[in-house]
Amino acid sequence: MEARDALEAVIRAWHRLEVERGGPGIIEFDCRPQGRGGPEAPALADRLQVYDALGALAAQVSADTEPYVAARLAADRAYLGAGLGERAGLDAYVRATQGCPAAGWPGDYVAYRGDVARAELDRLGIAWGADTEKGLRTREGRLDADAAPDAIRAATAEFEPRVRKLVGTDAPYELTVERVDIDEYWSYWLDGAGRRVRLRLNARNARFTRVGVRQFALHEVLGHGLQCAAFAHRCAAEEVPWVRLLSVHGPTQVLLEGLAQVMPLFVVPEDDVLAARVRLDHYLQLVRSELHLAINSGVPAGTCAAHARSRVPFWTDRHIADLLTDRGADPRLRSYLWAYPAGFDWFIRLAETDGDAITEVLHAAYRDPLTPGRLGELWPGGPPIGGPGSPVRLREPDVPGGSGRAA
């Protein structure tokens, strides 16, 4: 594990450097056993020194003998290169970081998933239009922000036995819930180390409902939190070949975000309101993928915005502007936000199947931080992760998708 430990040391130094610069850190979850964290982090004074250190490691690591380390090194170098000003094409950048192509989905498939979401909403008596989101939140039941932490804990306690049985883990975890007010795109964020899991609720963006806190319990706590604690639990018991520091620009994020978003369909498929929310979110992520491809392919922002309005009548111009900025201008989000539609679509297709694949995938997903390639091996009959690569049709000429399929 010499190469893995050396890479972890560089990542820790890089994380410290980025935090000292006042930006987001590199490490989201630390799975290393306490007191057995490997060599000391080197003293790296700037991003170029980190880049050189990663390059020196890459020259020593073979993808044939250490595939997990090689994949993470490729992601780190691509992401840091973007931070230094490199501007790789979207498909190449997402392949290097997230481990899957930025291929995209045909427009008629996106429309079909919109029809599925609208049918779910119709059953709840919610019309499609400018007030759809407002109507769904009303049906979900408004919840005061002060009551949200306790409600999330109560929903976690309700669902935890089902989730543990479904994914096959008895790993312990300790949950802390914090309220913050940060000018970031996210409403909820989970990080931590070992069995310690921290959930932050961003008061600037978060809007709470009674059904929503059930979704958050499944997504953030029993999805990300328990999953990462299970990885750490295994790391404490045995050596693992993968890098034990998880980052949103790395090739395990498709698994983490994909499964978390679809978790309600695996755990409580009988909950009609929660299912409607998941189906709507799936459609919205596919629309976001169209915008992600378009703004990175030279389509004017105004054309992207017109397409977004035609697809989602309840999105505001401010929201659409933020979507485009995040996906076009921010190196971190340009990579990371592709994991949402890529993982969401793959796992929702898995949830719609019958057979042993669901059990096999979910048990493996709480044992190892799986890459898209490994997910494809576990379910070889599944769809290509990242989309089949058809062009996205907007109001202007076609936006080319990626050329390949998931490895």
Side-chain angles (χ1 to χ4, degrees):
M1 304 300 173
E2 183 177 347
R4 181 205 66 186
D5 291 349
L7 176 55
E8 289 179 350
V10 173
I11 292 171
R12 297 201 317 273
W14 181 17
H15 175 84
R16 184 174 59 216
L17 174 66
E18 295 295 342
V19 171
E20 289 173 352
R21 287 169 55 94
I26 300 301
I27 301 167
E28 302 302 338
F29 207 96
D30 187 343
C31 299
R32 296 172 304 147
Q34 195 170 28
R36 290 187 283 135
E40 288 295 317
L44 299 174
D46 54 57
R47 287 177 171 176
L48 279 176
Q49 288 191 7
V50 178
Y51 192 78
D52 289 343
L54 292 172
L57 283 174
Q60 303 169 23
V61 172
S62 167
D64 293 330
T65 58
E66 296 179 282
Y68 290 101
V69 176
R72 179 56 193 265
L73 264 169
D76 289 335
R77 296 185 75 204
Y79 175 56
L80 180 53
L84 289 167
E86 294 176 0
R87 180 74 178 184
L90 181 66
D91 185 63
Y93 185 51
V94 170
R95 284 178 183 270
T97 52
Q98 299 300 324
C100 70
W105 292 264
D108 55 359
Y109 176 74
V110 178
Y112 160 70
R113 288 299 180 175
D115 291 341
V116 171
R118 282 185 285 273
E120 294 283 347
L121 293 168
D122 284 344
R123 279 192 280 273
L124 300 176
I126 299 170
W128 185 255
D131 293 328
T132 296
E133 179 64 30
K134 180 180 177 181
L136 182 54
R137 287 188 180 277
T138 298
R139 183 61 187 268
E140 290 176 340
R142 302 284 180 173
L143 184 69
D144 186 80
D146 291 336
D150 287 342
I152 292 172
R153 289 183 180 277
T156 299
E158 176 189 350
F159 292 139
E160 187 168 334
R162 296 193 210 182
V163 173
R164 287 188 179 277
K165 182 178 180 180
L166 183 69
V167 303
T169 186
D170 59 359
Y173 71 94
E174 300 167 2
L175 175 65
T176 300
V177 181
E178 300 177 0
R179 291 183 62 191
V180 298
D181 188 341
I182 300 174
D183 184 16
E184 288 277 5
Y185 77 95
W186 53 268
S187 300
Y188 319 93
W189 195 272
L190 187 135
D191 55 19
R195 68 168 63 188
R196 300 187 306 279
V197 173
R198 180 180 67 164
L199 173 61
R200 287 184 288 170
L201 311 177
N202 190 357
R204 189 165 303 196
N205 298 327
R207 300 294 181 269
F208 299 101
T209 67
R210 297 187 184 281
V211 172
V213 296
R214 293 162 64 81
Q215 182 184 24
F216 307 146
L218 289 167
H219 182 129
E220 299 290 352
V221 183
L222 298 173
H224 296 326
L226 179 59
Q227 191 174 24
C228 292
F231 297 156
H233 189 62
R234 184 182 172 204
C235 291
E238 61 183 281
E239 285 285 5
V240 296
W242 33 268
V243 175
R244 299 167 296 178
L245 303 173
L246 304 183
S247 303
V248 296
H249 69 268
T252 61
Q253 210 59 34
V254 167
L255 161 71
L256 297 175
E257 296 301 347
L259 178 53
Q261 291 173 107
V262 184
M263 188 67 84
L265 299 188
F266 291 118
V267 180
V268 280
E270 70 278 6
D271 188 327
D272 291 341
V273 182
L274 191 46
R277 170 60 71 182
V278 172
R279 295 292 182 177
L280 176 60
D281 287 349
H282 178 215
Y283 169 64
L284 298 181
Q285 287 295 354
L286 291 175
V287 176
R288 291 183 180 106
S289 77
E290 294 181 316
L291 302 178
H292 204 143
L293 285 171
I295 200 65
N296 281 278
S297 300
V299 176
T303 302
C304 294
H307 179 76
R309 294 185 197 106
S310 71
R311 287 288 202 196
V312 188
F314 51 86
W315 275 353
T316 66
D317 282 358
R318 178 177 178 178
H319 181 70
I320 294 168
D322 287 345
L323 293 180
L324 296 175
T325 302
D326 290 346
R327 287 158 178 78
D330 187 316
R332 187 179 190 226
L333 301 182
R334 187 171 180 247
S335 164
Y336 167 49
L337 293 182
W338 187 262
Y340 283 84
F344 208 148
D345 190 68
W346 194 86
F347 274 98
I348 211 165
R349 300 278 287 275
L350 179 66
E352 294 169 346
T353 66
D354 296 318
D356 297 332
I358 291 176
T359 298
E360 185 175 1
V361 169
L362 296 192
H363 278 232
Y366 276 67
R367 177 176 171 81
D368 296 298
L370 306 170
T371 63
R374 181 67 182 124
L375 287 172
E377 292 171 2
L378 289 169
W379 186 29
I385 297 177
S390 296
V392 177
R393 298 186 181 277
L394 303 186
R395 293 174 178 262
E396 291 289 321
D398 292 354
V399 179
S403 59
R405 301 172 75 87

